[in-house]
Amino acid sequence: MTDSRPKPVRFGDLGVRLASGLAILAVALAGVWAGGLWALALGLALLLLLLWELHRMVTGDQGFAAPAMLVLAAAAAASAIATHAGLPMLALALLLAGAAVLVPFAGRRAVFLGGGLVYMGGAVSALLALRAEAPDGLAVVLWLVFVVVAADVGAYFVGRSLGGPRLWKRVSPGKTWSGALGGLLAAGLAGLVCALLAGWPPLRVLSISIGVGIASQCGDLLESALKRHFGIKDSSRLIPGHGGVMDRLDALMGGALFYAVLRFLGIAVSGT
């Protein structure tokens, strides 16, 4: 007897995901391209949404006026402004101070909220600082976004097409080793394309892009572990087909922090 049950559609959510993704990409690219105060406004808006989702996830409170949420928002705004003013170490200090201030307001939950503040705030500050770098800040941020998106798309299509052993079943049952390797291949190819267009050292950009791809997947897994810990599927439902802002930026935050560390060590895709 033949099985008449419908087979699962591997790419059934592709249309909604693509439409939402293109809308997000258009807004993000506009802010990144404009730079200056526009980039600051975009970065701060995204950071506040990320922190709201984190607060919602950790506390169950969906409001914006809870004391811990106000601390998160104040620290986020102060750090973003400090980064825009060219004071990255002050921005980091403000994030750490905000994490410390959370303790009397959030108790044990301050570990998650404070850690998220430093991690997310650090990632957004890194992106703002990279965009402000002369003369190739715009090109570097576009490269970083392109590589992270390529890694995500590569992992999505290769993983769903080939399947195979799970990457970390307990944390993220849907991710496979084939998808992870496909994502790294896509990240490397995307980096090479950017290197050829920008005139950067190809091998240097290839290796850094693969590193960014690995870090972006780690960022994705970190968010998956956090959601699994709190028993939720999506960080919110703000974006149709994608869940929340955190669900879309988890990989970019991991990649941005990785490259920020490289820049601190004097390593750059431009070779300068």
Side-chain angles (χ1 to χ4, degrees):
M1 189 173 84
T2 59
D3 188 354
S4 61
R5 290 176 300 178
K7 295 181 180 180
V9 181
R10 288 178 176 173
F11 304 104
D13 58 348
L14 182 58
V16 176
R17 287 173 63 92
L18 183 60
S20 298
L22 289 174
I24 297 167
L25 185 61
V27 174
L29 287 179
V32 170
W33 193 279
L37 290 175
W38 290 105
L40 172 62
L42 173 65
L44 181 54
L46 291 176
L47 180 54
L48 290 175
L49 288 174
L50 287 167
L51 292 172
W52 171 75
E53 289 181 345
L54 177 67
H55 182 266
R56 172 182 177 272
M57 185 187 304
V58 173
T59 68
D61 187 344
Q62 300 191 37
F64 288 90
M69 184 62 221
L70 294 177
V71 172
L72 289 170
S79 66
I81 292 171
T83 302
H84 179 71
L87 302 169
M89 297 311 295
L90 175 60
L92 178 59
L94 289 168
L95 291 173
L96 292 172
V101 172
L102 280 167
V103 174
F105 294 101
R108 293 180 179 178
R109 292 174 296 191
V111 173
F112 292 100
L113 294 176
L117 173 63
V118 175
Y119 178 78
M120 295 173 178
V124 171
S125 291
L127 288 169
L128 290 174
L130 289 172
R131 175 60 184 88
E133 281 191 348
D136 55 357
L138 174 60
V140 169
V141 173
L142 291 178
W143 156 77
L144 184 63
V145 172
F146 186 42
V147 167
V148 170
V149 170
D152 183 56
V153 171
Y156 177 81
F157 280 102
V158 173
R160 293 205 174 192
S161 298
L162 299 183
R166 303 302 171 183
L167 179 64
W168 194 355
K169 186 175 181 179
R170 190 171 59 127
V171 169
S172 185
K175 293 182 175 59
T176 62
W177 279 103
S178 66
L181 294 174
L184 295 185
L185 176 61
L189 291 175
L192 278 179
V193 170
C194 291
L196 294 174
L197 291 175
W200 295 336
L203 291 180
R204 176 190 288 265
V205 177
L206 173 64
S207 59
I208 294 176
S209 296
I210 292 174
V212 167
I214 294 172
S216 71
Q217 293 189 26
C218 289
D220 194 345
L221 288 171
L222 176 62
E223 196 224 357
S224 295
L226 187 65
K227 290 191 296 186
R228 182 163 291 271
H229 177 80
F230 288 103
I232 65 172
K233 183 178 184 297
D234 297 316
S235 58
S236 73
R237 298 185 181 277
L238 289 176
I239 308 170
H242 289 275
V245 178
M246 195 187 304
D247 296 317
R248 287 300 87 208
L249 296 184
D250 51 3
L252 181 59
M253 287 189 288
L257 286 173
F258 171 79
Y259 186 65
V261 171
L262 292 185
R263 288 297 292 118
F264 180 77
L265 297 175
I267 302 170
V269 287
S270 62
T272 58

